Each structure stands twice: as C-alpha cells, then as structure tokens.
C-alpha cells in the first residue's frame, strides 16, 4: 500500500499524474490519499499529519509525503525504513513527528536516476519525475540499496522548537496544526498533564478542559485532549482559529493549578 500526503491541493493535475505514474509501474498497488490540503509549504503541519496517520496502516506501507518548498535545490530526497513501513520525503523536517515515535532502521538518499521518470527531471515537479517512480519501484520490491545510498540518521533534518517549554506552574506550547473546523492543535501532549489540574490561559480568558465539544454551550470556547493526544483549543460549533485570530506557531500557555 502507498499513501500520499502533499500540499498540492486537488484543483490541478499534480496528484493525478503521480498516481498515473505509480500505477503504470505497479498496477496492483493500492493508493490511499491521506490529504492534499496541507497549507502550502507548511512543513510543521505535514509533520503532524504524517505522524498522526502512520499507526493506522498495515506494516510495510509506504508513505509518500511531499511538502517541498525548496524543490529543485540541493536538498536531499530520502527514504526512511521504520517499524511500521517506509517514508519517502524531502529531507526538510517532515519526518520529525514520526521520529518522535519511532527509531529509523535505515536511512537512504534516493539518487539512482535509472529509477526516475527520466534522467533530466523538472526543477519544479520532483513529485512526478523522482518521488512517484521511486516509490512505485520500492513497492515492487526494489531495495533501498538499489535506489540510492545509505545516510546516517544524523543527516536527517529535524524541525526546531517543536517541543513545549515546561516551567513549574505552566507549559508554553505552540500551534502545530489547524484542522478544517478551525480547531487549534498544540504540541503539548496529554502525558504532560496526567493527574494535574490545568487550563489554557488565552489573554484574560481561562479556558477549562472538557471531555468533548458538546459539554458546553454552542459558540463557547473549550480545551480538551483531542483524538491525536494533544491539547486542543476549540469552539463548540465554531472556528477557534478565526475567533482567537491564531496561526501556526503561535504560542499557547497551559497553566497548572
């Protein structure tokens, strides 16, 4: 199985073309779209989305993940083998969320142009010319050692400032994902709040945790631990992103009572 996660959207033909190339090389492979609506060039959102998804797929799934602001540059294209399968992505930090959960077993740079679509790839569409064919050949059993050469784990780019700052009576985190409902998902994991009484301090407002959205009145603010396991700020049947005027990377403070 191959999954696709990109910031390409669905208005253009980019995703369809990649699927066509994969199916041409391996007609029997199943392809699942995780999402193509990652905000353009948003590596933090892509890292969160990928890490949130990998546990729910069969072992040996190949996750093709492309959010690639520096496409055509000298950034590396890498393949990482880990406990649950493989990830193929640009080496720009997308892998960070997964590496917080799993230890890489193998890391390769994909350089063998014999397995590209052609030897002269476009400088703006490596998804078509390099990522898709390399992923398809891997799904057919071509080994990573054939597709490229070994890299050290230390060569993988890791995103900075992804961990919350822990103080005696507060945790300062940031927004790592905003879903389609405008819910603000922080980088503060639930394990930091186990057996603690806490709330989110947003300006002069104290936002207290609930078990679910409908525990409060319509259009009221709440915070909770989302299905992903992180502190989330939401509005019951409303959009917290708009009401609170928040963006990716904005700080969120959790107070410990």
């Amino acid at each position: 199985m191959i999954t696709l996660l990109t910031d390409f959207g669905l208005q253009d033909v980019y995703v369809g073309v990649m699927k066509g190339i994969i199916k041409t090389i391996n007609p029997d492979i199943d392809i699942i779209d995780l999402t193509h609506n990652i905000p353009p060039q948003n590596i933090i959102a892509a890292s969160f989305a990928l890490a949130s998804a990998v546990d729910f797929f069969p072992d040996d799934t190949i996750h093709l993940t492309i959010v690639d602001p520096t496409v055509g540059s000298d950034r590396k294209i890498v393949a990482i083998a880990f406990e649950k399968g493989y990830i193929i992505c640009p080496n720009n930090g997308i892998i960070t969320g997964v590496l917080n959960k799993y230890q890489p077993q193998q890391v390769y740079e994909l350089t063998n142009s014999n397995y590209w679509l052609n030897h002269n790839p476009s400088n703006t569409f490596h998804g078509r010319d390099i990522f898709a064919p390399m992923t398809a050949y891997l799904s057919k059993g071509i080994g990573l050692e054939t597709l490229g050469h070994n890299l050290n784990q230390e060569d993988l780019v890791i995103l900075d400032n992804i961990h919350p700052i822990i103080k005696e009576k507060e945790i300062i985190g940031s927004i790592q994902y905003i879903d389609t409902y405008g819910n603000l998902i922080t980088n503060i994991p639930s394990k930091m709040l186990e057996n603690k009484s806490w709330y989110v301090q947003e300006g002069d407002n104290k936002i207290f945790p609930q078990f679910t959205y409908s525990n409060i009145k319509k259009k009221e603010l709440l915070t909770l631990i989302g299905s992903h396991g992180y502190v989330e700020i939401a509005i019951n049947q409303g959009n917290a992103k708009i009401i609170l005027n928040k963006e990716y990377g904005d700080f969120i403070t959790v107070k410990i009572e």
Side-chain angles (χ1 to χ4, degrees):
M1 182 181 295
I2 292 171
T3 75
L4 300 180
L5 186 156
T6 76
D7 60 349
F8 292 171
L10 294 175
Q11 175 175 318
D12 304 303
V13 301
Y14 306 136
V15 173
V17 166
M18 287 198 308
K19 288 182 178 180
I21 290 166
I22 292 169
K23 282 288 194 178
T24 298
I25 296 169
N26 188 356
D28 297 323
I29 195 70
D30 290 327
I31 304 174
I32 291 180
D33 298 288
L34 286 181
T35 180
H36 300 291
N37 290 326
I38 296 295
Q41 295 90 48
N42 194 321
I43 298 168
I44 294 174
S47 174
F48 171 84
L50 179 63
S52 298
V54 293
D55 290 342
F56 302 102
F57 286 87
D59 291 348
D60 297 324
T61 296
I62 304 170
H63 300 280
L64 174 54
T65 305
I66 309 174
V67 176
D68 197 9
T70 57
V71 59
S73 71
D74 60 357
R75 65 90 182 87
K76 294 178 172 61
I77 296 174
V78 295
I80 300 98
F82 71 113
E83 181 181 334
K84 291 287 293 178
Y86 302 87
I87 296 168
I88 294 180
C89 61
N91 187 29
N92 59 11
I94 285 177
I95 195 65
T96 302
V98 173
L99 293 187
N100 285 333
K101 302 167 71 172
Y102 294 101
Q103 181 72 18
Q105 297 171 341
Q106 295 176 300
V107 181
Y108 277 79
E109 181 181 5
L110 302 183
T111 55
N112 189 344
S113 61
N114 291 324
Y115 294 92
W116 297 358
L117 191 64
N118 57 66
H119 292 283
N120 296 296
S122 161
N123 287 330
T124 62
F125 198 3
H126 283 182
R128 178 193 66 193
D129 296 344
I130 302 177
F131 284 99
M134 285 282 200
T135 301
Y137 284 118
L138 178 62
S139 75
K140 289 195 71 173
I142 304 297
L144 292 177
E145 67 281 357
T146 300
L147 298 175
H149 62 266
N150 195 259
L151 285 179
N152 294 321
Q153 181 181 342
E154 292 73 24
D155 294 321
L156 291 174
V157 174
I158 303 298
L159 296 173
D160 295 327
N161 303 320
I162 63 165
H163 299 293
I165 300 169
I166 303 173
K167 298 184 178 182
E168 183 178 358
K169 289 293 184 180
E170 66 181 18
I171 301 172
I172 302 173
S174 61
I175 297 169
Q176 65 172 333
Y177 196 78
I178 303 173
D179 70 15
T180 191
Y181 299 102
N183 298 328
L184 308 174
I185 300 166
T186 75
N187 63 346
I188 302 173
S190 59
K191 63 184 178 182
M192 288 187 176
L193 301 172
E194 289 178 354
N195 303 315
K196 292 181 172 65
S197 179
W198 61 278
Y199 61 90
V200 170
Q201 184 74 54
E202 178 57 35
D204 295 329
N205 295 321
K206 293 181 179 180
I207 308 173
F208 291 95
Q210 306 292 334
F211 287 108
T212 189
Y213 304 107
S214 59
N215 277 15
I216 61 170
K217 295 178 180 178
K218 186 176 178 180
K219 304 302 180 183
E220 284 189 359
L221 275 166
L222 70 144
T223 185
L224 46 66
I225 303 301
S227 62
H228 35 66
Y230 290 92
V231 172
E232 175 182 324
I233 301 167
I235 294 177
N236 183 19
Q237 300 183 54
N239 189 307
K241 175 188 183 298
I242 294 173
I243 297 301
L244 296 178
N245 192 28
K246 293 294 185 181
E247 295 293 344
Y248 282 87
D250 285 353
F251 292 115
I252 298 294
T253 299
V254 167
K255 295 286 188 179
I256 309 297
E257 294 184 305

